[in-house]
Amino acid sequence: MRDAYFDQLDAIIDDLVAMTALVRTAVGRASEALLTPDIGVAEQVISADVDIDAAREKIEDIAFELLALQQPVAGDLRMLVAALRMVDDLERMGDLSVHVAKVARLRMPEGAVPAPLADTITQMAQVAQDMVAQVAEVIADRDVEAARQLVRDDEEMDRLRKHEFEIMLSDDWEHGVEAAVDMALLGRYYERIADHAVSIARRLVYLVTGEKPHSED
Amino acid sequence: MRDAYFDQLDAIIDDLVAMTALVRTAVGRASEALLTPDIGVAEQVISADVDIDAAREKIEDIAFELLALQQPVAGDLRMLVAALRMVDDLERMGDLSVHVAKVARLRMPEGAVPAPLADTITQMAQVAQDMVAQVAEVIADRDVEAARQLVRDDEEMDRLRKHEFEIMLSDDWEHGVEAAVDMALLGRYYERIADHAVSIARRLVYLVTGEKPHSED
């Protein structure tokens, strides 16, 4: 009985890592759909979101079963509650990838990203994807150092977003209101993906060290 | 011992309702700061966010203590876990109110909202505030009907946001790129406040009826 319990606890970590891999694929493909641009890839991201939702449901079911039947205490209990909150973050990152894919789809067959923003958006997409990859390591290895690195990566995302706005609001901007609005929201989606990565990292740090996570916006 | 336990469970509901009241004030004042416009009120909202964070910490501390010491089962356990996820939603609604207040502050002493959008933004602010008020009732009374009403209110928010975009993207728009970008993000903040209200409502419906909440974006 207790062995099955520990197996199930381990299985939740594995499932979280697997869910993070799905999210990483979603973020990567959404960015590819946007920057190539490629309508087929955009549609894939949108339709694959059900897999992320299914991964969430599976983890929730196991976690609630463990909570109800095994009455875990102390560290195990905190881990299960943290897992339930991490799936909220991960599911949201999946939803945000769908938003990115929909921005891509909106302007097909032309690209949604005006030329002056191509470099900055490409970098934002890369930082987001790297952060999600890092999240998987943070969860799998309970790696506090990797978690702290995510907070620093998030500063790079903020810097890129500021730069994005400078370009859109400069006198040289020739792409009009609609493209600027699209790109402002797109930048927000990438920023939020990064914020959720940081949120997961902070939950992990709290779990391992007892340091309280701080509010994120 | 058990009496103290039930008192603490009740206290968590009261604390959630009190935290929701803080969020309602934040949403209401942020909108007032934006639409009056009033820099003092904007600053109030920004500095009062620590109270929302403190309310969150208090609820988390009590919930974790109950989970660890009382080993609640079945309905009580699900309620505590739901409470922990609801505080995530509520805290985020507070952060989004701060974002609204910062949009207000950014364009002082002039108003941030261009005249053609004043009506629509005023309505979005009102729907958001009403939804947060409804959230308090949903939690206090475990009111499934009020929870379902929130899903319908959210459709009104979506309709208003579409209308906002029609105005900004019409040929008559004379307020340039910067105001459009501000207003697009502002619209997103209100939409997200409404989404979090719906998320709390769905968690409550799940708690009371066992119906699974669906993914929200």
Side-chain angles (χ1 to χ4, degrees), chain B residues 10 12 17 41 45 55 57 67 87 118-119 124-125 132 134 140 147 149 159 174 177 184 192 194 211 216:
Chain B
D10 284 346
I12 282 203
V17 172
V41 176
V45 173
E57 287 211 18
L67 283 170
V87 292
D119 276 356
M124 291 176 89
V132 183
Q134 188 93 330
Q149 179 58 41
R159 195 191 61 74
E174 291 172 346
V177 169
R192 290 297 302 154
E211 272 173 47
E216 192 51 37

Side-chain angles (χ1 to χ4, degrees), chain B residues 22-23 72-73 130 152 155 206:
Chain B
L22 292 178
V23 171
V73 293
D130 291 348
R152 290 189 289 271
E155 287 165 14
Y206 176 57

Side-chain angles (χ1 to χ4, degrees), chain B residues 103-162:
Chain B
V103 172
R105 188 173 66 176
L106 203 61
R107 304 290 164 227
M108 295 287 177
E110 282 159 64
V113 181
L117 285 177
D119 276 356
T120 309
I121 299 285
T122 301
Q123 288 178 63
M124 291 176 89
Q126 192 58 54
V127 171
Q129 211 179 327
D130 291 348
M131 287 179 78
V132 183
Q134 188 93 330
V135 163
E137 286 181 37
V138 164
I139 297 173
D141 306 333
R142 294 182 164 229
D143 185 338
V144 171
E145 253 328 292
R148 293 193 209 278
Q149 179 58 41
L150 273 171
V151 177
R152 290 189 289 271
D153 293 342
D154 190 42
E155 287 165 14
E156 174 65 7
M157 183 63 94
D158 290 344
R159 195 191 61 74
L160 287 166
R161 190 158 182 246
K162 280 206 186 81

Side-chain angles (χ1 to χ4, degrees), chain A residues 56-57 60-61 67 71 73 77 84-85 88 91-92 95 99 165 181 188 192 212 215-216, chain B residues 56-57 60-61 67 71 73 77 84-85 88 91-92 95 181 188 192 212 215-217:
Chain A
R56 173 207 177 103
E57 286 212 17
E60 290 192 332
D61 288 346
L67 283 170
Q71 307 211 352
V73 293
L77 177 68
L84 283 168
R85 299 170 98 176
D88 288 339
E91 189 197 16
R92 194 71 210 129
D95 291 340
H99 286 329
F165 272 66
V181 164
R188 177 81 183 151
R192 290 298 302 154
K212 287 230 168 152
S215 149
E216 191 52 37
Chain B
R56 174 207 177 102
E57 287 211 18
E60 290 192 332
D61 288 347
L67 283 170
Q71 308 212 350
V73 293
L77 177 68
L84 284 168
R85 300 171 98 176
D88 288 339
E91 189 198 17
R92 194 68 211 132
D95 290 341
V181 163
R188 176 82 183 151
R192 290 297 302 154
K212 288 231 166 152
S215 148
E216 192 51 37
D217 62 3

